Amino acid sequence: MPASHSSTWSGVIQQYAEFLPVTSATPIITLLEGNTPLIRVPSFVEAIGGQFELYLKYEGLNPTCSFKDRGMTLAVSKAKERGSEIVVCASTGNTSAAAAAYAARAKMRCVVLLPHGKIALGKLAQALMYGATTIAVEGNFDQALNIVRELGETGKIEVVNSINPFRIEGQKTAAFEICDALGDAPDFHFLPVGNAGNITAYWKGYREYQNAGKSDTLPRMCGWQAAGAAPLVDGHPIEHPNTVATAIRIGNPASWQGAMDAVKQSEGLIDKVTDEEILKAYTLLARTEGIFVEPACAAPLAGLIKAVQRQLIPEGSLVAATMTGHGLKDPDTAIKTAGFEPIVVQPDRDAVMRVIGL
Ligand SMILES: *Cc1c(COP(=O)(O)O)cnc(C)c1O
């Protein structure tokens, strides 16, 4: 008998093996990722004046606190199966955290290239703690990814960015989980778009589940970029992308075509929101629902606010949105955005009462 855990969840590869490129020869490197909560958020919907049901797929509750774990379990398992000893990635932070963790678990070496000074603090802490060789490139993500592509061509190192197709395969399992939880696909699926691997993966997942007869319908895929890093919306690569949402600070998405296909085939949309709109939605979600996400997740929430204003979402629709990463990833932005600081008092009951207003 297995150890007495209340859950029998064994990670996304075991759960969805029939949909994944694995065999009995694949060593499964897992930290029990997936199986994340799908949380209904009626107060947020009320606050934005919507008349639909919204469910948030809270991917911040994965082992390294972002959805990147879903793709990484598969990418690292397949690298291990092939006998690779080193994995490498360029990252705005969460891919490196996941790669470093899964490589440690697999007893492999991990090398991460990060844009110097543009990494949220929690993500940097993760790469260092998991023991990855951590290289800060004096450039942006796109430049770091170009270097990683060249390293991959040497044949000595396994690239685990989402240009590695196993990443997309693993990430599509989130769409399966949503269908399993709701009994069918939602009407709309909102998510942030950076390198565009995730929107590509969800669309693949929803279609495969429908083809397999596990769901009947398909959602409209609605991707949201940050205004300062919106190549897919603007129609050309952005040389100097900039946004407070560092996870989507990407000027030339690797899965450009995948994202555009998802939007077109699903009759969805791709659009952008400003940093100001992102930070407003970020705070609103935390205050109305007690759900703390990292700023990138607020792009689709700000997008929902726009969609409500434009009356794009019919009354009674079922809407899902992916909250890609945990709020604690980026404590600096949270503290700056909260709008107030701790109130310092003497260690005295009355002083505390005065602050409370009693
Ligand atoms: C990676 C990431 C994204 C962007 O996902 P893509 O697949 O690159 O579009 C969004 N939010 C968070 C928190 C991420 O880590």
Side-chain angles (χ1 to χ4, degrees), residues 66-68 92 94-95 123 162 171 192-199 247-248 250 294 296-297 324-325:
S66 88
F67 77 86
K68 299 297 199 302
T92 61
N94 282 333
T95 297
K123 306 177 187 182
S162 56
Q171 284 171 206
V193 175
N195 217 19
N198 214 27
I199 189 169
I248 52 172
I250 291 173
E294 64 169 283
C297 313
T324 45

Side-chain angles (χ1 to χ4, degrees), residues 21 38 48 64 80 144 147 167 342 345:
L38 188 67
I48 68 172
T64 76
K80 186 84 180 169
I147 297 170
R167 283 277 311 282
V345 299

